[in-house]
Amino acid sequence: MIALDGGGSCIADARHLTGAFLARLQADHGIPVSARAMDITQLVVSELVTNARKYAPGPAWLELRVVGAVVEVTVWDSDPVLPVARAADPGRVGQHGLEIVMAVAEGFEARRESPGKRVTARMALWDAGGGGHR
């Protein structure tokens, strides 16, 4: 679990740490990670950490773990309000992060934890066809 201080660089830091985590899976453990999975996982981390930074006071935590052929991204923050995807609106500027996460993730859940909430998204480590490994 990685503590995120909520500062201006925490989103980029979380994205970078995620890329390094996935690269280590391949290099140190021989676990294949497709280029698509690398990109999608970093996008999801960016969106979830952005939401935590934007809506919750105080620090946030990022946890990355592998469960079988899936990487789980969990972000905890101090705001107990659960996120809700807004109705699609092509004219709306911004506030599409949760819609994006739900569209690319294989699984998504949000639950309250005292104090705050935990949001988890799950992404496949490789494409169904098995190709495209970095």
Side-chain angles (χ1 to χ4, degrees):
M1 194 172 288
I2 302 157
L4 304 170
D5 65 5
S9 68
C10 77
I11 298 162
D13 293 345
R15 224 178 12 250
H16 175 74
L17 290 167
T18 300
F21 172 81
L22 295 173
R24 278 193 315 275
L25 284 179
Q26 295 179 101
D28 297 348
H29 303 287
I31 297 173
V33 178
S34 72
R36 181 179 186 276
M38 179 76 76
D39 293 342
I40 285 174
T41 303
Q42 288 178 302
L43 172 65
V44 166
V45 164
S46 182
E47 294 298 337
L48 294 180
V49 172
T50 296
N51 285 349
R53 184 170 184 261
K54 185 175 180 179
Y55 297 110
W61 294 87
L62 170 66
E63 181 178 26
L64 303 166
R65 67 185 199 134
V66 174
V67 179
V70 173
V71 61
E72 286 187 349
V73 172
T74 300
V75 175
W76 174 89
D77 67 51
S78 61
D79 183 1
V81 176
L82 297 178
V84 177
R86 298 179 71 184
D89 178 359
R92 184 175 71 237
V93 176
Q95 298 183 342
H96 294 282
L98 191 56
E99 292 172 65
I100 292 168
V101 170
M102 294 176 86
V104 300
E106 303 232 337
F108 176 84
E109 75 176 291
R111 60 186 162 112
R112 285 186 185 89
E113 289 192 358
S114 183
K117 69 178 164 299
R118 180 178 301 264
V119 178
T120 302
R122 294 169 191 84
M123 282 68 58
L125 286 169
W126 56 82
D127 304 331
H133 303 295
R134 278 190 166 174

